[in-house]
Amino acid sequence: MQELKEYYTLDEALKLYALYLMERDVEKGRADELERRNK
């Protein structure tokens, strides 16, 4: 197991996780839109 080189506060970690989820939702929305257009 590797040690983390950077440490995040809980607040920072939650913000990063929220950004990750938002980006994932945007990507899914784009994929759904492309699929809908190709029908």
Side-chain angles (χ1 to χ4, degrees), residues 2-37:
Q2 290 183 327
E3 269 190 58
L4 290 174
K5 294 203 165 104
E6 290 187 36
Y7 299 92
Y8 296 102
T9 65
L10 179 59
D11 190 48
E12 290 171 325
L14 290 173
K15 285 178 186 174
L16 287 171
Y17 184 63
L19 285 171
Y20 163 75
L21 290 180
M22 205 177 348
E23 187 176 326
R24 207 175 64 169
D25 287 346
V26 168
E27 287 298 320
K28 182 173 182 345
R30 286 185 185 148
D32 290 348
E33 179 68 21
L34 283 173
E35 187 178 317
R36 197 169 51 98
R37 286 183 185 182

